[in-house]
Amino acid sequence: MTFTLKLIFFTLALLGGLLPLAAQEIDPTWIEAEATITEIHKSIGRRGRTNAFADVTFTTKKEEAIQTRVEILAIPIYGAVKSTGDIITIYYDPETPQVARSKNISFFNTYGMYVLIALGIILSTARILKMRKKSISA
């Protein structure tokens, strides 16, 4: 196995060990509901991380109409994947239904940019080492 492949496997193993495999688990006592997005807010945090929040309305099992805000999937620069009027699945705390969480927060949303940066570094390093090896042998 070449040095480049060993470097790629080592880096991927290191990243895999550092990052959790799944997004944060939702409490099993929370209740699933369908919510309608009424408004979307986008914010760009430190280091360019894009977050999108949606104001949603939904009806609880006790027939209460609730308005709250949940985080939704956002792609850097582009923004939210959903739009106003879309229906999303959320989970809410039966004790305090204003506390809700979107199902759409995924591993990619949380760690995707880091994975892409690491992949870019790995591929760039492999190309640089290959070019260097060619120039030395020439």
Side-chain angles (χ1 to χ4, degrees), residues 6-80:
K6 287 180 184 178
L7 177 67
I8 291 171
F9 287 131
F10 175 74
T11 307
L12 290 175
L14 182 65
L15 285 173
L18 293 176
L19 299 174
L21 294 177
Q24 217 173 19
E25 294 290 326
I26 294 175
D27 188 339
T29 61
W30 286 28
I31 299 170
E32 183 176 321
E34 297 294 315
T36 304
I37 297 175
T38 57
E39 192 174 347
I40 293 180
H41 308 278
K42 181 177 116 179
S43 70
I44 299 175
R46 294 186 334 197
R47 296 186 231 157
R49 181 184 164 125
T50 302
N51 293 327
F53 298 93
D55 291 341
V56 297
T57 57
F58 67 96
T59 305
T60 65
K61 287 196 174 193
K62 296 178 183 177
E63 300 298 321
E64 295 177 88
I66 303 291
Q67 291 183 327
T68 189
R69 183 176 286 181
V70 295
E71 187 173 2
I72 58 174
L73 180 63
I75 297 173
I77 300 171
Y78 177 73

Side-chain angles (χ1 to χ4, degrees), residues 65-111:
I66 303 291
Q67 291 183 327
T68 189
R69 183 176 286 181
V70 295
E71 187 173 2
I72 58 174
L73 180 63
I75 297 173
I77 300 171
Y78 177 73
V81 175
K82 299 288 184 179
S83 52
T84 304
D86 286 351
I87 295 176
I88 61 171
T89 301
I90 64 164
Y91 295 91
Y92 68 92
D93 184 355
E95 307 264 329
T96 53
Q98 293 80 10
V99 178
R101 180 172 283 165
S102 171
K103 182 180 179 178
N104 297 328
I105 303 304
S106 66
F107 175 82
F108 181 76
N109 189 38
T110 307
Y111 300 106

Side-chain angles (χ1 to χ4, degrees), residues 33 113 118:
M113 190 57 68

